[in-house]
Amino acid sequence: MSNKVLILDFGSQYTQLIARRARELGFYSFIIPGTSDFKRIQEFGASAIILSGGPNSVYDQGSPRLPKEFWEYARTKNMPLLGICYGLQLFAHEMGGKVRPAPKREYGRMRVNVVTPTISKNSDMQSAVIHNPKDAHDLFHTIPHFEAWMSHGDEAEQLPQGFSLIAESASGAVAAISHGTLPWAGIQFHPEVTHTERGADILKNFLTRVAKLKPDWKMSDVIETQIESIKSQVPADAHVICALSGGVDSTVAAVLVHKALGNRLHCVFVDQGLLRYQEADRVMKMFTESLHLPVTKVDASERFLSKLAGVTDPETKRKIIGAEFIAVFDESANTLEKKIGKRPSFLVQGTLYPDVIESSPPPSASGGASSKHAHTIKSHHNVGGLPKDIKFKLIEPFRDLFKDEVRQIGKLMGVPETFIARHPFPGPGLAVRCLGEITRERLDILKLADEIYINMLREEGLYDKIWQAMAILLPVKSVGVQGDGRTHSQVLALRAVNSADGMTADFYPFDMGFLSRVATRICNEVRGVNRVTYDITSKPPGTIEWE
Ligand code: XMP
């Protein structure tokens, strides 16, 4: 491909979403830290550059900055630039404008009006709400106004030299600016998150109208690139072990690596005792009968549950599970060594980008998860939960991708549709849905309640309309009356969300009739539960899983 979009990362939780939107629009994209050497930026040979958001304030000492040669380079090359949030503020800070703490933090959805561009005279910014959409800047072609997702505490008080205001938020703050002669624009909102109406169109307008690029990249390119990369990463005599969890990501990763390495791949499916109702048997059948993958099942439920006994802290649970998984793979590798005469030295994992960004990412040479600034949300078992002295080299072909992109790859590689359409299930399994102490008895309650809920979603035609649904057993008891007697039993929460990629999510608006039918069945059929609640929190502020 000839068009390459470079994303300079300043630590936003959403940076990979920008890359993903560029891919969706048919552009190859690559992320490196915004503070990279100028040489690295120059050598990439970008056709357009996007500056991400970030948690810092541009006016703080030590806040991340572009290398000093950057602006002159972008100016002389006429390089199309889009600054998002912190990126816009960098324009203002570096080019004679002014950024200040906003009088009121803008967080959440906010209406943005596209305005007639008027060159700023710095402090006295003039603008007029647009009447003729033809006057809109190319960035807002056919978009006179929209609801945008804002997440910032600073704002541009004075525009940078040579820039004009092209959109403002309902509260009158600067929402977008553009340069009078250069293809440079800055936006205060996040077009990359699905909460921004027409956000993808705004990015498309930037790439195709402002930068004047033509899309020339497709998802099947990822398969070819990854197969080549796996072949060159793994020496010809090396063997590879794959941690199958029964979920879509690790399964598609296994299919991809199998294509690259054939019988040098050995899959291990670990039953950690934290799987759903009868899940272990169901997925083993699918691996062997539909996908013909070479899989060994290891029943490790006893050792996982005994390590987790008495543990209630979510991060501790995740770290224990991460370490235990690796211990099991180590032992499986030893067993394989006896069988094939060579110890596997690589471990394949179906790690996705949201796992990485929420687990405090290390800087990555591949350009993914490059931020030093993003905060830890939770240690996904396959990233932040891994022990430091891991003996395997990791192969993670989807580390820069999102769930639905992996689903597309799975489809392209012939993984059955019924499997691809399954709701995501986290590696630490029911451990992060059994809040408080994990015991076999509590897990059995959770498994049965979850099975009833998920089956009812299927029976009522709702399963495929929902991105992810689950039951959660709370560490709370409530008083109830069942039959003629008083009960003091456990409380169960139900959750269902829709999401494009797991990064943001909205709770699913069930009708009350459905919720009431599920609650009745669960209280009647699951001994030990006398109350059911429904979680109506979106992400943010909640996360999808409760732990
Ligand atoms: P959260 O709870 O972070 O979840 O909003 C986002 C998505 O990631 C899944 N998830 C995990 N997947 N290992 C995984 O493989 C993990 O440790 C893990 N934690 C959360 C979660 O189910 C949702 O789809």
PDB file of all heavy atoms in Angstrom, residues 249 318 354-355 358 378-382 424-428 433 467-468 502 539 543-545 547, ligand 1:
ATOM      1  N   ASP A 249     -10.792 -15.379  20.535  1.00  0.00           N
ATOM      2  CA  ASP A 249      -9.469 -14.802  20.240  1.00  0.00           C
ATOM      3  C   ASP A 249      -8.374 -15.871  20.203  1.00  0.00           C
ATOM      4  O   ASP A 249      -7.588 -15.929  19.266  1.00  0.00           O
ATOM      5  CB  ASP A 249      -9.090 -13.735  21.273  1.00  0.00           C
ATOM      6  CG  ASP A 249     -10.266 -12.842  21.580  1.00  0.00           C
ATOM      7  OD1 ASP A 249     -11.008 -12.540  20.634  1.00  0.00           O
ATOM      8  OD2 ASP A 249     -10.458 -12.483  22.753  1.00  0.00           O
ATOM      9  N   ARG A 318      -6.576 -11.992  39.680  1.00  0.00           N
ATOM     10  CA  ARG A 318      -6.070 -11.972  38.309  1.00  0.00           C
ATOM     11  C   ARG A 318      -4.604 -12.384  38.242  1.00  0.00           C
ATOM     12  O   ARG A 318      -4.186 -13.129  37.345  1.00  0.00           O
ATOM     13  CB  ARG A 318      -6.259 -10.580  37.702  1.00  0.00           C
ATOM     14  CG  ARG A 318      -7.693 -10.299  37.306  1.00  0.00           C
ATOM     15  CD  ARG A 318      -7.888  -8.887  36.815  1.00  0.00           C
ATOM     16  NE  ARG A 318      -9.220  -8.730  36.251  1.00  0.00           N
ATOM     17  CZ  ARG A 318      -9.532  -8.972  34.994  1.00  0.00           C
ATOM     18  NH1 ARG A 318      -8.599  -9.332  34.130  1.00  0.00           N
ATOM     19  NH2 ARG A 318     -10.773  -8.847  34.570  1.00  0.00           N
ATOM     20  N   PRO A 354      -7.602  -4.212  23.825  1.00  0.00           N
ATOM     21  CA  PRO A 354      -8.177  -3.748  25.090  1.00  0.00           C
ATOM     22  C   PRO A 354      -7.548  -4.436  26.303  1.00  0.00           C
ATOM     23  O   PRO A 354      -7.421  -3.829  27.359  1.00  0.00           O
ATOM     24  CB  PRO A 354      -9.663  -4.104  24.970  1.00  0.00           C
ATOM     25  CG  PRO A 354      -9.909  -4.088  23.494  1.00  0.00           C
ATOM     26  CD  PRO A 354      -8.645  -4.646  22.888  1.00  0.00           C
ATOM     27  N   ASP A 355      -7.113  -5.703  26.172  1.00  0.00           N
ATOM     28  CA  ASP A 355      -6.425  -6.374  27.283  1.00  0.00           C
ATOM     29  C   ASP A 355      -5.146  -5.622  27.606  1.00  0.00           C
ATOM     30  O   ASP A 355      -4.735  -5.491  28.749  1.00  0.00           O
ATOM     31  CB  ASP A 355      -6.009  -7.819  26.945  1.00  0.00           C
ATOM     32  CG  ASP A 355      -7.142  -8.657  26.404  1.00  0.00           C
ATOM     33  OD1 ASP A 355      -8.297  -8.251  26.565  1.00  0.00           O
ATOM     34  OD2 ASP A 355      -6.857  -9.713  25.808  1.00  0.00           O
ATOM     35  N   GLU A 358      -5.634  -1.829  29.080  1.00  0.00           N
ATOM     36  CA  GLU A 358      -6.166  -1.749  30.437  1.00  0.00           C
ATOM     37  C   GLU A 358      -5.229  -2.383  31.459  1.00  0.00           C
ATOM     38  O   GLU A 358      -5.479  -2.342  32.643  1.00  0.00           O
ATOM     39  CB  GLU A 358      -7.559  -2.387  30.486  1.00  0.00           C
ATOM     40  CG  GLU A 358      -8.511  -1.572  29.623  1.00  0.00           C
ATOM     41  CD  GLU A 358      -9.967  -1.923  29.774  1.00  0.00           C
ATOM     42  OE1 GLU A 358     -10.259  -2.943  30.396  1.00  0.00           O
ATOM     43  OE2 GLU A 358     -10.787  -1.168  29.255  1.00  0.00           O
ATOM     44  N   LYS A 378      -7.309  -2.778  34.828  1.00  0.00           N
ATOM     45  CA  LYS A 378      -7.276  -4.087  35.477  1.00  0.00           C
ATOM     46  C   LYS A 378      -6.234  -4.943  34.751  1.00  0.00           C
ATOM     47  O   LYS A 378      -5.993  -4.765  33.568  1.00  0.00           O
ATOM     48  CB  LYS A 378      -8.656  -4.747  35.486  1.00  0.00           C
ATOM     49  CG  LYS A 378      -9.341  -4.835  34.154  1.00  0.00           C
ATOM     50  CD  LYS A 378     -10.703  -5.507  34.235  1.00  0.00           C
ATOM     51  CE  LYS A 378     -11.801  -4.579  34.691  1.00  0.00           C
ATOM     52  NZ  LYS A 378     -13.156  -5.110  34.475  1.00  0.00           N
ATOM     53  N   SER A 379      -5.636  -5.878  35.470  1.00  0.00           N
ATOM     54  CA  SER A 379      -4.589  -6.693  34.863  1.00  0.00           C
ATOM     55  C   SER A 379      -5.220  -7.866  34.131  1.00  0.00           C
ATOM     56  O   SER A 379      -5.606  -8.840  34.765  1.00  0.00           O
ATOM     57  CB  SER A 379      -3.653  -7.242  35.937  1.00  0.00           C
ATOM     58  OG  SER A 379      -3.046  -6.187  36.608  1.00  0.00           O
ATOM     59  N   HIS A 380      -5.357  -7.749  32.835  1.00  0.00           N
ATOM     60  CA  HIS A 380      -5.907  -8.877  32.089  1.00  0.00           C
ATOM     61  C   HIS A 380      -4.937 -10.039  32.247  1.00  0.00           C
ATOM     62  O   HIS A 380      -3.720  -9.846  32.206  1.00  0.00           O
ATOM     63  CB  HIS A 380      -6.129  -8.474  30.632  1.00  0.00           C
ATOM     64  CG  HIS A 380      -7.361  -7.625  30.487  1.00  0.00           C
ATOM     65  ND1 HIS A 380      -8.275  -7.799  29.485  1.00  0.00           N
ATOM     66  CD2 HIS A 380      -7.844  -6.628  31.261  1.00  0.00           C
ATOM     67  CE1 HIS A 380      -9.265  -6.935  29.632  1.00  0.00           C
ATOM     68  NE2 HIS A 380      -9.014  -6.207  30.704  1.00  0.00           N
ATOM     69  N   HIS A 381      -5.511 -11.229  32.487  1.00  0.00           N
ATOM     70  CA  HIS A 381      -4.685 -12.342  32.952  1.00  0.00           C
ATOM     71  C   HIS A 381      -3.524 -12.624  32.016  1.00  0.00           C
ATOM     72  O   HIS A 381      -2.481 -13.086  32.431  1.00  0.00           O
ATOM     73  CB  HIS A 381      -5.567 -13.595  33.075  1.00  0.00           C
ATOM     74  CG  HIS A 381      -5.877 -14.202  31.743  1.00  0.00           C
ATOM     75  ND1 HIS A 381      -6.705 -13.598  30.836  1.00  0.00           N
ATOM     76  CD2 HIS A 381      -5.424 -15.320  31.152  1.00  0.00           C
ATOM     77  CE1 HIS A 381      -6.767 -14.349  29.748  1.00  0.00           C
ATOM     78  NE2 HIS A 381      -6.004 -15.390  29.925  1.00  0.00           N
ATOM     79  N   ASN A 382      -3.725 -12.358  30.729  1.00  0.00           N
ATOM     80  CA  ASN A 382      -2.712 -12.722  29.748  1.00  0.00           C
ATOM     81  C   ASN A 382      -1.713 -11.597  29.502  1.00  0.00           C
ATOM     82  O   ASN A 382      -0.857 -11.711  28.650  1.00  0.00           O
ATOM     83  CB  ASN A 382      -3.371 -13.130  28.427  1.00  0.00           C
ATOM     84  CG  ASN A 382      -4.508 -12.209  28.049  1.00  0.00           C
ATOM     85  OD1 ASN A 382      -4.896 -11.335  28.818  1.00  0.00           O
ATOM     86  ND2 ASN A 382      -5.050 -12.380  26.867  1.00  0.00           N
ATOM     87  N   PRO A 424     -18.004 -12.665  24.108  1.00  0.00           N
ATOM     88  CA  PRO A 424     -16.669 -12.771  24.712  1.00  0.00           C
ATOM     89  C   PRO A 424     -16.753 -13.358  26.119  1.00  0.00           C
ATOM     90  O   PRO A 424     -17.746 -13.147  26.820  1.00  0.00           O
ATOM     91  CB  PRO A 424     -16.198 -11.313  24.802  1.00  0.00           C
ATOM     92  CG  PRO A 424     -17.075 -10.537  23.895  1.00  0.00           C
ATOM     93  CD  PRO A 424     -18.357 -11.281  23.784  1.00  0.00           C
ATOM     94  N   PHE A 425     -15.710 -14.099  26.483  1.00  0.00           N
ATOM     95  CA  PHE A 425     -15.628 -14.662  27.833  1.00  0.00           C
ATOM     96  C   PHE A 425     -14.200 -14.441  28.319  1.00  0.00           C
ATOM     97  O   PHE A 425     -13.249 -14.772  27.624  1.00  0.00           O
ATOM     98  CB  PHE A 425     -15.969 -16.163  27.779  1.00  0.00           C
ATOM     99  CG  PHE A 425     -16.045 -16.808  29.138  1.00  0.00           C
ATOM    100  CD1 PHE A 425     -17.083 -16.487  30.009  1.00  0.00           C
ATOM    101  CD2 PHE A 425     -15.080 -17.717  29.546  1.00  0.00           C
ATOM    102  CE1 PHE A 425     -17.155 -17.072  31.264  1.00  0.00           C
ATOM    103  CE2 PHE A 425     -15.153 -18.310  30.799  1.00  0.00           C
ATOM    104  CZ  PHE A 425     -16.192 -17.979  31.659  1.00  0.00           C
ATOM    105  N   PRO A 426     -14.002 -13.852  29.490  1.00  0.00           N
ATOM    106  CA  PRO A 426     -12.638 -13.486  29.888  1.00  0.00           C
ATOM    107  C   PRO A 426     -11.806 -14.689  30.307  1.00  0.00           C
ATOM    108  O   PRO A 426     -12.341 -15.656  30.851  1.00  0.00           O
ATOM    109  CB  PRO A 426     -12.876 -12.557  31.089  1.00  0.00           C
ATOM    110  CG  PRO A 426     -14.163 -13.012  31.668  1.00  0.00           C
ATOM    111  CD  PRO A 426     -14.997 -13.521  30.526  1.00  0.00           C
ATOM    112  N   GLY A 427     -10.499 -14.615  30.079  1.00  0.00           N
ATOM    113  CA  GLY A 427      -9.583 -15.690  30.466  1.00  0.00           C
ATOM    114  C   GLY A 427      -9.707 -16.086  31.935  1.00  0.00           C
ATOM    115  O   GLY A 427      -9.715 -17.286  32.250  1.00  0.00           O
ATOM    116  N   PRO A 428      -9.805 -15.140  32.876  1.00  0.00           N
ATOM    117  CA  PRO A 428      -9.924 -15.547  34.290  1.00  0.00           C
ATOM    118  C   PRO A 428     -11.300 -16.122  34.598  1.00  0.00           C
ATOM    119  O   PRO A 428     -11.583 -16.495  35.747  1.00  0.00           O
ATOM    120  CB  PRO A 428      -9.726 -14.244  35.078  1.00  0.00           C
ATOM    121  CG  PRO A 428      -9.256 -13.235  34.100  1.00  0.00           C
ATOM    122  CD  PRO A 428      -9.680 -13.679  32.747  1.00  0.00           C
ATOM    123  N   ARG A 433     -16.326 -12.978  38.048  1.00  0.00           N
ATOM    124  CA  ARG A 433     -17.779 -12.783  38.134  1.00  0.00           C
ATOM    125  C   ARG A 433     -18.330 -13.362  39.431  1.00  0.00           C
ATOM    126  O   ARG A 433     -19.529 -13.317  39.671  1.00  0.00           O
ATOM    127  CB  ARG A 433     -18.469 -13.454  36.942  1.00  0.00           C
ATOM    128  CG  ARG A 433     -18.033 -12.848  35.635  1.00  0.00           C
ATOM    129  CD  ARG A 433     -18.681 -13.507  34.454  1.00  0.00           C
ATOM    130  NE  ARG A 433     -18.223 -12.867  33.233  1.00  0.00           N
ATOM    131  CZ  ARG A 433     -18.528 -13.280  32.016  1.00  0.00           C
ATOM    132  NH1 ARG A 433     -19.301 -14.348  31.864  1.00  0.00           N
ATOM    133  NH2 ARG A 433     -18.081 -12.644  30.959  1.00  0.00           N
ATOM    134  N   TRP A 467     -23.832  -7.783  22.724  1.00  0.00           N
ATOM    135  CA  TRP A 467     -22.396  -8.021  22.541  1.00  0.00           C
ATOM    136  C   TRP A 467     -21.867  -8.994  23.583  1.00  0.00           C
ATOM    137  O   TRP A 467     -21.070  -9.865  23.299  1.00  0.00           O
ATOM    138  CB  TRP A 467     -21.655  -6.683  22.646  1.00  0.00           C
ATOM    139  CG  TRP A 467     -20.304  -6.707  22.047  1.00  0.00           C
ATOM    140  CD1 TRP A 467     -20.003  -6.703  20.713  1.00  0.00           C
ATOM    141  CD2 TRP A 467     -19.052  -6.734  22.738  1.00  0.00           C
ATOM    142  NE1 TRP A 467     -18.645  -6.710  20.546  1.00  0.00           N
ATOM    143  CE2 TRP A 467     -18.038  -6.727  21.763  1.00  0.00           C
ATOM    144  CE3 TRP A 467     -18.692  -6.741  24.082  1.00  0.00           C
ATOM    145  CZ2 TRP A 467     -16.687  -6.740  22.077  1.00  0.00           C
ATOM    146  CZ3 TRP A 467     -17.349  -6.762  24.399  1.00  0.00           C
ATOM    147  CH2 TRP A 467     -16.361  -6.764  23.415  1.00  0.00           C
ATOM    148  N   GLN A 468     -22.318  -8.810  24.827  1.00  0.00           N
ATOM    149  CA  GLN A 468     -21.848  -9.689  25.896  1.00  0.00           C
ATOM    150  C   GLN A 468     -22.846  -9.676  27.048  1.00  0.00           C
ATOM    151  O   GLN A 468     -23.326  -8.614  27.444  1.00  0.00           O
ATOM    152  CB  GLN A 468     -20.497  -9.198  26.399  1.00  0.00           C
ATOM    153  CG  GLN A 468     -19.833 -10.120  27.393  1.00  0.00           C
ATOM    154  CD  GLN A 468     -18.384  -9.734  27.670  1.00  0.00           C
ATOM    155  OE1 GLN A 468     -17.947  -8.653  27.293  1.00  0.00           O
ATOM    156  NE2 GLN A 468     -17.652 -10.604  28.336  1.00  0.00           N
ATOM    157  N   GLY A 502     -15.406  -3.366  23.078  1.00  0.00           N
ATOM    158  CA  GLY A 502     -15.043  -3.592  24.486  1.00  0.00           C
ATOM    159  C   GLY A 502     -14.444  -2.363  25.157  1.00  0.00           C
ATOM    160  O   GLY A 502     -14.275  -2.349  26.367  1.00  0.00           O
ATOM    161  N   LYS A 539     -20.016   1.668  30.133  1.00  0.00           N
ATOM    162  CA  LYS A 539     -18.551   1.766  30.284  1.00  0.00           C
ATOM    163  C   LYS A 539     -18.068   2.914  29.423  1.00  0.00           C
ATOM    164  O   LYS A 539     -18.273   2.829  28.210  1.00  0.00           O
ATOM    165  CB  LYS A 539     -17.890   0.460  29.844  1.00  0.00           C
ATOM    166  CG  LYS A 539     -16.354   0.574  29.797  1.00  0.00           C
ATOM    167  CD  LYS A 539     -15.681  -0.700  29.317  1.00  0.00           C
ATOM    168  CE  LYS A 539     -14.177  -0.512  29.274  1.00  0.00           C
ATOM    169  NZ  LYS A 539     -13.453  -1.695  28.875  1.00  0.00           N
ATOM    170  N   THR A 543     -16.799  -0.901  34.135  1.00  0.00           N
ATOM    171  CA  THR A 543     -16.173  -1.716  33.091  1.00  0.00           C
ATOM    172  C   THR A 543     -17.198  -2.801  32.772  1.00  0.00           C
ATOM    173  O   THR A 543     -18.241  -2.880  33.429  1.00  0.00           O
ATOM    174  CB  THR A 543     -14.837  -2.339  33.567  1.00  0.00           C
ATOM    175  OG1 THR A 543     -15.080  -3.020  34.803  1.00  0.00           O
ATOM    176  CG2 THR A 543     -13.783  -1.288  33.758  1.00  0.00           C
ATOM    177  N   ILE A 544     -16.913  -3.643  31.786  1.00  0.00           N
ATOM    178  CA  ILE A 544     -17.904  -4.653  31.409  1.00  0.00           C
ATOM    179  C   ILE A 544     -17.969  -5.723  32.496  1.00  0.00           C
ATOM    180  O   ILE A 544     -19.030  -6.000  33.053  1.00  0.00           O
ATOM    181  CB  ILE A 544     -17.580  -5.238  30.014  1.00  0.00           C
ATOM    182  CG1 ILE A 544     -17.729  -4.130  28.972  1.00  0.00           C
ATOM    183  CG2 ILE A 544     -18.500  -6.423  29.711  1.00  0.00           C
ATOM    184  CD1 ILE A 544     -17.351  -4.507  27.566  1.00  0.00           C
ATOM    185  N   GLU A 545     -16.820  -6.331  32.797  1.00  0.00           N
ATOM    186  CA  GLU A 545     -16.780  -7.271  33.920  1.00  0.00           C
ATOM    187  C   GLU A 545     -16.830  -6.465  35.218  1.00  0.00           C
ATOM    188  O   GLU A 545     -16.426  -5.312  35.251  1.00  0.00           O
ATOM    189  CB  GLU A 545     -15.478  -8.090  33.882  1.00  0.00           C
ATOM    190  CG  GLU A 545     -15.235  -8.871  32.599  1.00  0.00           C
ATOM    191  CD  GLU A 545     -16.191 -10.031  32.398  1.00  0.00           C
ATOM    192  OE1 GLU A 545     -16.842 -10.443  33.379  1.00  0.00           O
ATOM    193  OE2 GLU A 545     -16.282 -10.518  31.258  1.00  0.00           O
ATOM    194  N   GLU A 547     -15.052  -7.235  37.905  1.00  0.00           N
ATOM    195  CA  GLU A 547     -13.724  -7.191  38.546  1.00  0.00           C
ATOM    196  C   GLU A 547     -12.642  -7.205  37.482  1.00  0.00           C
ATOM    197  O   GLU A 547     -12.819  -7.823  36.439  1.00  0.00           O
ATOM    198  CB  GLU A 547     -13.521  -8.416  39.454  1.00  0.00           C
ATOM    199  CG  GLU A 547     -14.334  -8.325  40.728  1.00  0.00           C
ATOM    200  CD  GLU A 547     -13.944  -9.401  41.740  1.00  0.00           C
ATOM    201  OE1 GLU A 547     -13.370 -10.419  41.339  1.00  0.00           O
ATOM    202  OE2 GLU A 547     -14.233  -9.212  42.925  1.00  0.00           O
TER     203      GLU A 547
HETATM  204  P1  XMP B   1     -13.656  -4.848  30.848  1.00  0.00           P
HETATM  205  O1  XMP B   1     -14.198  -5.573  32.017  1.00  0.00           O
HETATM  206  O2  XMP B   1     -12.221  -4.460  30.996  1.00  0.00           O
HETATM  207  O3  XMP B   1     -13.682  -5.891  29.661  1.00  0.00           O
HETATM  208  O4  XMP B   1     -14.515  -3.697  30.421  1.00  0.00           O
HETATM  209  C1  XMP B   1     -13.519  -5.623  28.301  1.00  0.00           C
HETATM  210  C2  XMP B   1     -13.612  -6.944  27.586  1.00  0.00           C
HETATM  211  O5  XMP B   1     -12.465  -7.743  27.920  1.00  0.00           O
HETATM  212  C3  XMP B   1     -12.871  -8.969  28.545  1.00  0.00           C
HETATM  213  N1  XMP B   1     -11.904  -9.220  29.618  1.00  0.00           N
HETATM  214  C4  XMP B   1     -10.888 -10.088  29.515  1.00  0.00           C
HETATM  215  N2  XMP B   1     -10.545 -10.916  28.519  1.00  0.00           N
HETATM  216  N3  XMP B   1      -8.736 -11.701  29.822  1.00  0.00           N
HETATM  217  C5  XMP B   1      -9.478 -11.749  28.700  1.00  0.00           C
HETATM  218  O6  XMP B   1      -9.193 -12.568  27.823  1.00  0.00           O
HETATM  219  C6  XMP B   1      -9.006 -10.893  30.868  1.00  0.00           C
HETATM  220  O7  XMP B   1      -8.307 -10.880  31.876  1.00  0.00           O
HETATM  221  C7  XMP B   1     -10.156 -10.049  30.702  1.00  0.00           C
HETATM  222  N4  XMP B   1     -10.747  -9.125  31.500  1.00  0.00           N
HETATM  223  C8  XMP B   1     -11.832  -8.638  30.817  1.00  0.00           C
HETATM  224  C9  XMP B   1     -14.282  -8.708  29.066  1.00  0.00           C
HETATM  225  O8  XMP B   1     -15.013  -9.921  29.197  1.00  0.00           O
HETATM  226  C10 XMP B   1     -14.828  -7.773  27.994  1.00  0.00           C
HETATM  227  O9  XMP B   1     -15.241  -8.502  26.861  1.00  0.00           O
END
